Amino acid sequence: MSDYIPSANIERTRTGQRHFVSDIDETGLGAVDAVADDRAPSSLWGEAWKSLRKRPLFWVALTIIVIAIAIAAFPNVFTSQDPRFCELSNSLKGPSDGHPFGFNRQGCDIYARIVFGARASVSVGVLTTIFVVIIGGVIGAIAGYFGGWFDALLSRITDIFFAIPLLLAAIVFMQMFKENRNIWMVILVLSLFGWTQIARITRGAVMSAKNEEFVTAARATGASKARILMSHIIPNSMAPIIVYATVALGTFIVSEASLSFMGIGLPSTVVSWGADISAAQASLRTNPMVLFYPALALAMTVLSFIMMGDAVRDALDPKARK
């Protein structure tokens, strides 16, 4: 038989064995497992911000974007040189005091042209993205929410525009109106043919959101269709739209540069990275840096928006966060 010895620790002895059992903890499991429930629950955007601020990719992209926007908005703060002032005596000269990147073949200051070229490229990208989101968002939201013949008609119109390549359509239209080329014409053409993907994304997001319980609750309270769409469905469908718009902004900057590179985009009176890259082709073998600097500015700006889109997508996607 075993002998039991009462003590602070209950000791049970057997031949060649001694077992110790600790005292029962006086702290209840309820107190240990209690979770504070007095704070407000985090929203999707709150959780996304917590994820974003921990990612170096987000801060790198944000820094480059802020710098690009600042240069585009206030170019005179970054240089005092006139980008259109050219002297052939300075043709292809290297860096010097006040001219860190040297001069191009026409004798224009490369650094000044890069700084002032940001205004055209960034402006086209930002304004085109705004118009594309508005056009595609409205069409996609109406098609996804009302369904029926609205959806059928708007979806077929979207398919027609979707089948037309953006850059090809822009080339044709810019050639048709080449005498009236300006920054607003480029924005109009890119917006006219660049809204289709946003419309499809918005339609899918709205169709998913309109079946949620908060929409049913809003209908039960007597809210009108317009109020439900504007106050409940669209705000809860913005995540994929914002992600795509961030990436598309870089695409529109590239499209403007491509049109200017081919000589059918912005007029020669407007300083543009695409036009400078096109003009630098003749000096590629002898002075490759003349092409390298505007190409680097274009690549870094576009890459920053793509990286920002990737970071925002990962932050807003719960599966990616897991």
Side-chain angles (χ1 to χ4, degrees):
M1 297 292 292
S2 299
D3 297 328
Y4 292 91
I5 304 172
S7 62
N9 291 327
I10 301 175
E11 179 182 342
R12 187 165 119 181
T13 61
R14 286 185 180 177
T15 305
Q17 282 189 331
R18 292 201 310 172
H19 297 279
F20 296 89
V21 180
S22 61
D23 292 334
I24 298 176
D25 194 345
E26 295 181 358
T27 305
L29 292 178
V32 174
D33 297 336
V35 178
D37 57 356
D38 55 346
R39 60 181 180 179
S42 298
S43 64
L44 174 64
W45 301 103
E47 292 294 330
W49 170 242
K50 290 179 182 179
S51 175
L52 280 175
R53 65 186 182 185
K54 297 177 182 178
R55 299 195 62 187
L57 179 67
F58 167 74
W59 292 110
V60 171
L62 181 63
T63 301
I64 299 175
I65 290 173
V66 170
I67 293 174
I69 293 176
I71 292 175
F74 310 102
N76 292 317
V77 174
F78 295 88
T79 181
S80 58
Q81 301 294 328
D82 185 356
R84 298 181 184 86
F85 178 75
C86 307
E87 289 186 357
L88 288 177
S89 59
N90 294 328
S91 178
L92 299 178
K93 283 187 176 180
S96 60
D97 187 23
H99 309 282
F101 295 163
F103 300 86
N104 61 13
R105 181 172 290 274
Q106 290 76 32
C108 307
D109 182 75
I110 296 177
Y111 174 74
R113 293 189 67 84
I114 290 175
V115 170
F116 279 86
R119 170 171 289 180
S121 298
V122 175
S123 297
V124 169
V126 172
L127 293 176
T128 302
T129 302
I130 292 174
F131 291 141
V132 160
V133 170
I134 293 174
I135 298 172
V138 170
I139 293 175
I142 293 175
Y145 182 67
F146 290 100
W149 69 270
F150 279 105
D151 186 19
L153 175 63
L154 295 177
S155 295
R156 298 296 78 75
I157 294 174
T158 302
D159 291 340
I160 293 172
F161 278 87
F162 190 78
I164 304 174
L166 172 63
L167 193 58
L168 179 60
I171 292 172
V172 172
F173 269 74
M174 294 304 296
Q175 284 285 57
M176 291 173 58
F177 303 99
K178 58 183 178 180
E179 296 182 357
N180 299 318
R181 286 185 296 145
N182 54 49
I183 190 171
W184 289 107
M185 178 62 68
V186 175
I187 294 171
L188 177 63
V189 171
L190 293 179
S191 301
L192 183 61
F193 295 95
W195 56 268
T196 53
Q197 193 65 32
I198 287 285
R200 285 189 165 193
I201 292 173
T202 305
R203 175 179 175 271
V206 168
M207 290 180 69
S208 176
K210 73 178 184 179
N211 296 318
E212 297 292 340
E213 293 181 355
F214 60 84
V215 176
T216 304
R219 290 197 188 100
T221 59
S224 63
K225 292 184 177 181
R227 181 177 178 82
I228 293 173
L229 180 63
M230 297 301 297
S231 301
H232 299 282
I233 295 179
I234 291 182
N236 286 278
S237 305
M238 289 302 296
I241 298 173
I242 291 175
V243 171
Y244 179 79
T246 306
V247 178
L249 198 154
T251 304
F252 293 133
I253 292 177
V254 172
S255 299
E256 180 276 322
S258 300
L259 293 173
S260 298
F261 178 84
M262 291 181 286
I264 57 176
L266 298 176
S268 58
T269 55
V270 179
V271 182
S272 169
W273 290 337
D276 286 355
I277 293 172
S278 178
Q281 290 182 99
S283 308
L284 180 58
R285 292 187 177 181
T286 57
N287 296 84
M289 301 306 290
V290 176
L291 185 145
F292 173 76
Y293 290 122
L296 178 63
L298 175 63
M300 289 187 63
T301 303
V302 174
L303 180 61
S304 64
F305 283 105
I306 294 176
M307 290 191 303
M308 177 63 74
D310 290 341
V312 173
R313 179 198 60 202
D314 293 342
L316 290 175
D317 186 1
K319 294 181 180 179
R321 285 203 302 270
K322 291 180 180 179

